[in-house]
Coordinates of all heavy atoms in Angstrom, one line a residue:
S148 N -10.6 27.3 137.4 CA -11.0 28.3 136.4 C -11.3 29.6 137.0 O -11.3 29.8 138.2 CB -12.3 27.8 135.7 OG -13.3 27.9 136.6
E149 N -11.6 30.6 136.2 CA -12.1 31.9 136.6 C -13.7 31.6 136.6 O -14.1 30.5 136.8 CB -11.7 32.9 135.6 CG -10.2 33.2 135.5 CD -9.6 33.5 136.9 OE1 -10.2 34.4 137.6 OE2 -8.5 33.1 137.2
A150 N -14.4 32.7 136.5 CA -15.9 32.6 136.5 C -16.4 31.7 135.3 O -15.9 31.7 134.2 CB -16.5 34.0 136.4
L151 N -17.4 30.9 135.6 CA -18.0 30.0 134.7 C -19.4 30.2 134.5 O -20.2 30.6 135.4 CB -17.8 28.5 135.1 CG -16.4 27.9 135.1 CD1 -16.5 26.5 135.7 CD2 -15.8 27.9 133.7
G152 N -19.9 29.9 133.3 CA -21.3 30.0 133.0 C -22.0 28.7 133.5 O -21.2 27.7 133.8
P153 N -23.3 28.6 133.6 CA -23.9 27.4 134.2 C -23.6 26.1 133.4 O -23.3 25.1 134.0 CB -25.4 27.7 134.0 CG -25.5 29.2 134.1 CD -24.2 29.7 133.4
F184 N -12.1 23.9 142.7 CA -13.2 24.4 141.8 C -13.9 25.6 142.5 O -14.7 26.3 141.9 CB -14.2 23.3 141.6 CG -13.8 22.4 140.4 CD1 -12.6 22.3 140.0 CD2 -14.8 21.5 139.9 CE1 -12.3 21.5 138.9 CE2 -14.5 20.7 138.8 CZ -13.2 20.6 138.3
H185 N -13.7 25.8 143.8 CA -14.1 27.0 144.5 C -15.6 27.3 144.5 O -16.0 28.4 144.6 CB -13.3 28.2 144.0 CG -13.0 29.2 145.1 ND1 -13.6 30.4 145.2 CD2 -12.0 29.1 146.0 CE1 -13.0 31.1 146.2 NE2 -12.1 30.3 146.8
G186 N -16.4 26.2 144.3 CA -17.8 26.4 144.1 C -18.3 27.1 142.9 O -19.4 27.6 142.8
R187 N -17.4 27.3 141.9 CA -17.7 28.1 140.7 C -18.4 27.2 139.7 O -18.9 27.7 138.7 CB -16.4 28.6 140.1 CG -15.7 29.6 141.0 CD -14.3 30.0 140.5 NE -13.6 30.9 141.4 CZ -12.3 31.2 141.4 NH1 -11.6 30.7 140.4 NH2 -11.8 32.0 142.3
Y188 N -18.4 25.9 139.9 CA -18.9 25.0 138.9 C -20.4 24.6 139.2 O -20.7 24.3 140.4 CB -18.1 23.7 138.8 CG -16.8 23.9 138.1 CD1 -15.8 24.8 138.7 CD2 -16.4 23.2 137.0 CE1 -14.6 24.9 138.1 CE2 -15.2 23.3 136.4 CZ -14.3 24.2 136.9 OH -13.1 24.4 136.3
S189 N -21.2 24.7 138.3 CA -22.6 24.1 138.5 C -22.5 22.6 138.5 O -21.4 22.0 138.2 CB -23.5 24.5 137.3 OG -23.0 23.9 136.1
E210 N -14.2 21.5 146.6 CA -15.5 22.3 146.5 C -16.0 22.3 145.0 O -16.1 23.4 144.4 CB -15.3 23.7 147.0 CG -16.3 24.1 148.0 CD -16.3 25.5 148.5 OE1 -15.5 26.3 148.1 OE2 -17.1 25.8 149.4
P211 N -16.4 21.1 144.5 CA -16.9 21.1 143.1 C -18.2 21.9 142.9 O -18.5 22.3 141.8 CB -17.0 19.6 142.8 CG -17.2 19.0 144.2 CD -16.3 19.8 145.1
V212 N -19.0 22.0 144.0 CA -20.2 22.8 143.9 C -20.3 23.6 145.2 O -19.6 23.4 146.1 CB -21.5 21.8 143.8 CG1 -21.4 21.1 142.4 CG2 -21.5 20.9 144.9
V213 N -21.2 24.6 145.1 CA -21.4 25.5 146.3 C -21.9 24.7 147.5 O -22.6 23.6 147.3 CB -22.4 26.6 146.0 CG1 -21.8 27.6 145.0 CG2 -23.7 26.0 145.5
P214 N -21.7 25.2 148.7 CA -22.1 24.4 149.9 C -23.6 24.1 150.0 O -24.0 23.2 150.6 CB -21.6 25.2 151.1 CG -21.3 26.5 150.5 CD -20.9 26.3 149.1
E215 N -24.4 25.0 149.4 CA -25.9 24.8 149.4 C -26.2 23.5 148.7 O -27.4 22.9 149.0 CB -26.6 26.0 148.7 CG -26.3 27.3 149.3 CD -25.2 28.0 148.6 OE1 -24.1 27.6 148.8 OE2 -25.5 29.0 147.9
L216 N -25.4 23.0 147.8 CA -25.6 21.7 147.2 C -24.9 20.6 147.7 O -24.7 19.5 147.1 CB -25.3 21.9 145.7 CG -26.2 22.9 144.9 CD1 -25.7 23.0 143.4 CD2 -27.6 22.4 144.9
R236 N -16.6 25.8 154.0 CA -17.7 26.6 154.3 C -18.8 25.7 155.0 O -20.0 26.0 154.9 CB -18.3 27.2 153.0 CG -17.4 28.3 152.4 CD -18.1 29.0 151.3 NE -17.9 28.4 150.0 CZ -18.3 28.9 148.8 NH1 -19.0 30.0 148.8 NH2 -18.1 28.2 147.7
P369 N -13.9 39.5 146.5 CA -14.2 40.0 145.2 C -15.7 39.6 144.8 O -16.2 38.6 145.2 CB -13.2 39.3 144.3 CG -12.1 38.9 145.3 CD -12.8 38.6 146.6
R370 N -16.2 40.4 144.0 CA -17.6 40.2 143.4 C -17.4 40.1 141.9 O -17.1 41.1 141.3 CB -18.6 41.2 143.9 CG -18.9 41.1 145.4 CD -19.8 42.2 145.9 NE -20.1 42.1 147.3 CZ -19.3 42.6 148.2 NH1 -18.2 43.3 147.9 NH2 -19.6 42.4 149.5
W371 N -17.8 38.9 141.3 CA -17.7 38.7 139.9 C -19.0 38.7 139.3 O -20.0 38.4 139.9 CB -17.0 37.4 139.7 CG -15.5 37.4 140.0 CD1 -14.8 38.4 140.4 CD2 -14.7 36.2 139.9 NE1 -13.5 37.9 140.6 CE2 -13.4 36.6 140.3 CE3 -14.9 34.9 139.5 CZ2 -12.3 35.7 140.3 CZ3 -13.9 34.0 139.5 CH2 -12.6 34.4 139.9
H372 N -19.1 39.1 138.0 CA -20.3 39.1 137.3 C -20.1 38.5 135.9 O -19.1 38.6 135.3 CB -20.8 40.5 137.0 CG -21.2 41.2 138.3 ND1 -20.4 41.8 139.2 CD2 -22.5 41.3 139.0 CE1 -21.0 42.3 140.3 NE2 -22.3 42.0 140.2
H373 N -21.2 37.8 135.4 CA -21.2 37.2 134.1 C -21.4 38.3 133.0 O -21.7 39.5 133.4 CB -22.4 36.2 133.9 CG -22.2 35.0 134.8 ND1 -21.2 34.1 134.7 CD2 -23.0 34.6 135.8 CE1 -21.3 33.2 135.6 NE2 -22.4 33.4 136.3
S377 N -25.3 39.3 135.5 CA -25.7 38.5 136.7 C -24.5 38.2 137.5 O -23.4 38.1 137.0 CB -26.5 37.3 136.3 OG -25.7 36.5 135.5
L378 N -24.7 37.9 138.8 CA -23.7 37.6 139.7 C -23.1 36.2 139.4 O -23.8 35.2 139.2 CB -24.2 37.6 141.2 CG -23.1 37.5 142.3 CD1 -22.3 38.8 142.3 CD2 -23.7 37.3 143.6
A379 N -21.7 36.1 139.5 CA -21.0 34.9 139.3 C -20.4 34.5 140.6 O -20.0 35.3 141.4 CB -19.9 35.1 138.2
E380 N -20.2 33.2 140.7 CA -19.5 32.7 142.0 C -18.1 33.0 141.9 O -17.4 32.8 140.9 CB -19.7 31.1 142.1 CG -21.1 30.6 142.3 CD -21.6 31.0 143.8 OE1 -20.7 31.2 144.6 OE2 -22.8 30.9 144.0
W381 N -17.5 33.5 143.0 CA -16.1 33.8 143.1 C -15.4 32.6 143.7 O -14.3 32.2 143.3 CB -15.9 35.0 144.0 CG -14.4 35.2 144.4 CD1 -13.4 35.5 143.4 CD2 -13.7 35.1 145.6 NE1 -12.2 35.6 144.1 CE2 -12.4 35.3 145.4 CE3 -14.2 34.8 146.9 CZ2 -11.4 35.3 146.5 CZ3 -13.3 34.8 147.9 CH2 -11.9 35.0 147.7

Side-chain angles (χ1 to χ4, degrees):
S148 70
E149 301 299 321
L151 289 177
F184 278 16
H185 218 252
R187 296 170 185 168
Y188 287 61
S189 66
E210 233 183 4
V212 294
V213 291
E215 302 94 289
L216 292 179
R236 290 189 276 182
R370 293 176 178 86
W371 289 357
H372 293 84
H373 295 296
S377 61
L378 190 69
E380 292 288 344
W381 171 63

